[in-house]
Structures are given as C-alpha cells and as structure tokens.
Amino acid sequence: MPASQSRRERPAKPALTREGIIDTAVKLMEQEGLQRVTMRRLAQALDTGPASLYVYLANTAELHAAILDRLLGRVDLDVTLAGADWRGRLDAVLANYEEVLFAHPALARSALVARPAGGNYLALLETLLALLAEGGVPDLQAAWGVDVLLQTATASAAEHSARREDSNAEQDWNQLRQALAGASPDVHPHVRAQADNLVSGTPAERRRWGIDTLLNGIQATTPQSW
Amino acid sequence: MPASQSRRERPAKPALTREGIIDTAVKLMEQEGLQRVTMRRLAQALDTGPASLYVYLANTAELHAAILDRLLGRVDLDVTLAGADWRGRLDAVLANYEEVLFAHPALARSALVARPAGGNYLALLETLLALLAEGGVPDLQAAWGVDVLLQTATASAAEHSARREDSNAEQDWNQLRQALAGASPDVHPHVRAQADNLVSGTPAERRRWGIDTLLNGIQATTPQSW
DNA sequence: ACCTGAACACCGTTCAAGT
DNA sequence: ACCTGAACACCGTTCAAGT
C-alpha cells in the first residue's frame, strides 16, 4: 500500500487552484454569508492554512471581487419578454441584476467601490449598451448612462438587502421615518410636508421609477449641452 | 492634599458623554482615517477601556452613523452663487456634499447603507427639497428624486475617494480600462466600440452630467405614468 | 447608573522554513 | 514553485464585578 493512500479519513484533498478556491468561497458565502468568508475560514474549508491562499489572492478585496464576478454570471442577459420593448428588457436585466446582488448585501456594497473587471461584468455592460443603442441613445450618453444605471441598481440592492439582513438597518429606517414625520414645520417645512412621499412606494415601484427617470434623463441630456 | 489630586500626570480626564466620544472619534478619523476608528482605539484615545463605550453606543455601526451626521454638518447649505438658478445651486450643494464625503471613503460607503437620521441630514433634505420646489418639480417626483440624487452623489464619492485612497482600487480601474480596450469586437462589439467613452470625462464632468441627467429625468417622469 | 478588567472568539497578513 | 506553521498585530462584544 503506497504511503499516499495510508490515511484516507477525508476525501482526497484537491490541489489548490484559484478557481477551486473561489468555488469554495461562493459555496461558503451561500451557506454562511459574505461576512463569514474570511481568509481564515476559507482556508479551513479548503483544509489548509490561511497563508496558502495568498499564493492565489493578493488580499481579501481581490477575493470579494472574484466572488462578485462569479455571481454576475447568474444575471440573465437573454431576457426575452414577449412584446417588451428595449426599455422593458433593460428594466428586466437591471431588476435581475439587483435580485442577484440582493442576496448578498456586503457584496453589493463592495461592488460600488471595487469595480469588477471580469468577463461576466463585460457581458453585462455589452447587453446594456446594446439595449441603449437599440433605443437610439447616442453613444456617449449611453456609455456614461450605463455607469449611472448600474450604480443606482447596485446602491439600491445594497440598501434594501442590508435593511433585510441587519436588524439595525431596519431600526435606522424607522428612526428616519420618525424624524421625517416629526420635523418641525417651521424649521423644515418641506421635509414635514413631504414626510409621507419621502418614504412612499414599494422598492419595486421606486426601482421602476428610478430607471425610467434615468432613461428619460439619459435620452434628453447631451454632455456638451452646458 | 486631597487624594483626587495626588496623581496628575495627564490633564484631568473628562467625564464620558456621547457627544464627547463622537468629538474624539471625528478627530481620530481626521488624523488616521475611519479604518483606524475602532472601538478599541477610540477607547484608548479616551483613556478608558473599550467596554466603557458600550454605555453610549450600541455598536460600531452606530458610531459610524454618528460620525457621519457630524460631518454632514459641514455641508454648506447656504450656497449663494451670484446669478445661479436653482439648478446651479442644487449642483453646488451636491458637489459640496460629495467633497465632504470624499475625504472619507469608508464613511461614504456606510452612508449608502445606514441612512443617517440626524439633524444635519434633515437640513440637507430640506435644502434639496426647497430647491426642487423652486424649480417647479411636482412634490412626489421631488421626494423620490432627492433620494436618487443623494444616492448617486454618495456612491460617486465612495467610488472616487476609494480610488484615491486604496492603491488597489486604482489597480482595479486600470484593469477595467484594459479589459474594455481589449474586448473582442465579435463577442462584445458595443463595449469595444465604446471603450473610450466608457472611461472618458473627469469626475467633475461626470457628476455635472449625472446631476443634470437626473434632474431632467425627475422633471419629466411622473410615477403614475406607467 | 455608570464604568471597567478580563476574557472570548475571532480577524488579515507576513515570513522563514520546508517540500 | 508552491505550500505552510507560527507569529505579529490587531479586532468587536460581553459580562461579572466594582464604584
């Protein structure tokens, strides 16, 4: 019996690869949330020490970016809504993008800062640019527009998913409602008058309006116009 | 000599108060950055143990929220640009808001998730709502609009300041430029064609266009229109 | 009521040494 | 080249005990 087979308590430990590490990281995130995907825990899941991961990943930020790009692969870019025009399809893609991020607030937050540069992000950009082109949006406006569209969708996902996950975020929200409703009509007349409007609408309604607003603005606003 | 004066190596240790703690936290942040404002370091700066802070603050998130509201007090809401219309003034307020957040990327990031409910935030909302009202923007559109305007400004600050602070974020950016420029004309034709446009413009130009785009959209888009 | 020492249960990252 | 044990320098939060 060769020495390599003498101890077989666990399934053969697979060789470390960047892909394999990220696979495990995604699984770990799905089971325990991104906040549990630390270098140490990930190493433990891979049956090694944390130092080993630094052969494949420069730091935690790079790990999170890699996880994000993996997740972006789940966004359905081939939405074929029967009879939907380009706006309807663009809305569907962004809604789906938000849904994917919605499951992982911390990831959405990191997406706002560390732009992914992976293949799946490129594919998402391509789809959005194609839809804007189909809608006759001039090139530069479309290019700058996708940025704002994605930024809004990402921020939205970060906010709403955090509100669901952290009980603190929900408390913050209630505190804000109270502060708005209790605003003095003398000091903050507009806030007071608009207290209800400021918190009205479902997340879906807000998103829908936000995207529509952005699209209307993007179509109407030439960068050189001022 | 009373016992209370027998040891006087350091200036009399001031009694802990929430305000005092946050004062110290803001100073600490200015000197060493938000990432250094931990419960432990803050306690050290206050010449006490970390457990003492939990009498006044429920957790680190609450600490960061309090710091944020303090900083919001520095946004100049009385911009009186000679001859500027409401749009010009709104742009100035948001530019100033971004500047204030720009100095502290981590804070900008937290602002996206934990909405501040303090007095300074209320004052900012009031100013923005007043400017939109002056511009004749219908109430509901104005209420939903300030949200998107602030969200965009916040996300923008978070992104650009992170790029300045983390050398990693700058690397990410360069990687993205490369990925865009190197996109295959067959697989990602729109991305390839728009590679330059996607990264063109200064942050200021982008912000200006973004706000203008948003305002045009907000004015043109009724929530009930679909 | 307010404050705190000490502990619990963790982190990221580096580096010299091994294979 | 790849991998790792061990260490360095930290974290947030709790809780029993003190004043």
Side-chain angles (χ1 to χ4, degrees):
Chain A
M1 188 191 250
S4 65
Q5 287 188 13
S6 63
R7 300 287 266 137
R8 269 207 173 253
E9 293 139 14
R10 54 185 88 214
K13 184 175 155 186
L16 287 179
T17 62
R18 196 176 205 273
E19 292 301 290
I21 290 170
I22 296 164
D23 277 348
T24 306
V26 170
K27 271 178 218 154
L28 192 56
M29 180 181 70
E30 246 130 36
Q31 283 160 16
E32 314 194 23
L34 187 70
Q35 68 283 154
R36 300 281 188 228
V37 185
T38 64
M39 289 299 210
R40 290 178 106 103
R41 267 175 192 270
L42 182 53
Q44 208 182 323
L46 288 161
D47 195 22
T48 183
S52 304
L53 302 181
Y54 286 82
V55 176
Y56 304 94
L57 297 162
N59 48 47
T60 307
E62 197 176 304
L63 170 63
H64 288 180
I67 294 175
L68 176 60
D69 193 71
R70 222 18 166 267
L71 236 67
L72 251 30
R74 299 188 185 171
V75 178
D76 181 12
L77 301 177
D78 304 311
V79 272
T80 45
L81 294 172
D85 62 346
W86 66 277
R87 276 186 177 237
R89 276 175 289 146
L90 204 149
D91 188 67
V93 170
L94 286 176
N96 191 221
Y97 169 79
E98 271 190 47
E99 261 169 55
V100 167
L101 284 190
F102 186 78
H104 305 287
L107 207 57
R109 242 167 300 161
S110 86
L112 283 166
V113 182
R115 302 284 199 102
N120 289 324
Y121 182 67
L122 238 56
L124 177 59
L125 280 187
E126 178 66 23
T127 301
L128 294 176
L129 285 174
L131 286 167
L132 289 172
E134 186 183 330
V137 176
D139 273 0
L140 186 56
Q141 279 151 254
W144 287 18
V146 288
D147 226 67
V148 190
L149 284 167
L150 281 173
Q151 202 179 53
T152 304
T154 309
S156 209
E159 189 188 326
H160 294 134
S161 57
R163 200 141 83 233
R164 182 207 40 169
E165 198 159 272
D166 290 347
S167 58
N168 288 62
E170 185 59 45
Q171 275 185 351
D172 283 358
W173 187 247
N174 287 330
Q175 257 181 289
L176 181 60
R177 293 180 86 112
Q178 274 198 321
L180 295 176
S184 151
D186 295 325
V187 187
H188 301 124
H190 290 94
V191 170
R192 176 55 178 275
Q194 294 254 57
D196 285 343
N197 283 341
L198 283 164
V199 295
S200 70
T202 65
E205 286 169 347
R206 289 262 188 157
R207 181 183 47 73
R208 191 78 215 264
W209 179 81
I211 293 171
D212 241 53
T213 296
L214 237 22
L215 289 178
N216 286 339
I218 289 167
Q219 285 188 301
T221 316
T222 316
Q224 299 86 339
S225 70
W226 20 259
Chain B
M1 188 192 251
S4 65
Q5 286 188 12
S6 63
R7 302 284 267 136
R8 269 210 172 252
E9 295 141 12
R10 54 185 85 215
K13 183 175 153 183
L16 286 179
T17 63
R18 198 178 203 273
E19 292 300 290
I21 290 169
I22 297 162
D23 277 348
T24 306
V26 170
K27 272 179 219 152
L28 193 56
M29 181 182 69
E30 246 131 34
Q31 283 160 14
E32 313 195 22
L34 186 71
Q35 69 283 154
R36 298 280 189 229
V37 185
T38 65
M39 289 297 209
R40 291 179 106 103
R41 266 175 193 270
L42 181 53
Q44 207 182 323
L46 288 161
D47 195 21
T48 183
S52 304
L53 302 181
Y54 286 82
V55 177
Y56 305 94
L57 297 162
N59 49 46
T60 307
E62 197 176 303
L63 170 63
H64 287 180
I67 295 175
L68 176 61
D69 193 72
R70 228 7 173 272
L71 236 67
L72 252 29
R74 300 188 184 170
V75 178
D76 181 12
L77 301 178
D78 305 311
V79 273
T80 45
L81 293 172
D85 62 345
W86 68 276
R87 275 184 178 238
R89 277 175 289 146
L90 205 150
D91 187 66
V93 170
L94 286 176
N96 192 220
Y97 169 80
E98 271 190 48
E99 263 169 54
V100 168
L101 285 190
F102 186 78
H104 305 287
L107 207 57
R109 243 167 299 161
S110 87
L112 282 165
V113 181
R115 301 284 198 103
N120 290 324
Y121 182 67
L122 237 55
L124 177 60
L125 279 186
E126 177 66 23
T127 301
L128 294 176
L129 286 174
L131 286 168
L132 289 173
E134 187 184 330
V137 177
D139 273 1
L140 186 56
Q141 280 151 255
W144 288 18
V146 288
D147 227 65
V148 191
L149 283 167
L150 281 174
Q151 202 180 53
T152 305
T154 309
S156 207
E159 189 187 327
H160 295 133
S161 56
R163 199 140 84 230
R164 183 206 39 167
E165 198 159 273
D166 290 348
S167 59
N168 288 63
E170 185 59 46
Q171 275 185 351
D172 283 359
W173 186 248
N174 287 330
Q175 256 181 292
L176 181 59
R177 292 179 87 112
Q178 273 199 322
L180 295 176
S184 151
D186 296 324
V187 187
H188 300 125
H190 291 94
V191 170
R192 177 55 179 274
Q194 294 255 56
D196 286 342
N197 283 340
L198 283 164
V199 294
S200 71
T202 66
E205 285 168 348
R206 288 264 188 154
R207 181 183 47 71
R208 190 78 215 264
W209 179 81
I211 293 172
D212 241 54
T213 295
L214 236 22
L215 289 178
N216 285 339
I218 289 168
Q219 285 188 301
T221 316
T222 317
Q224 298 86 339
S225 70
W226 20 260

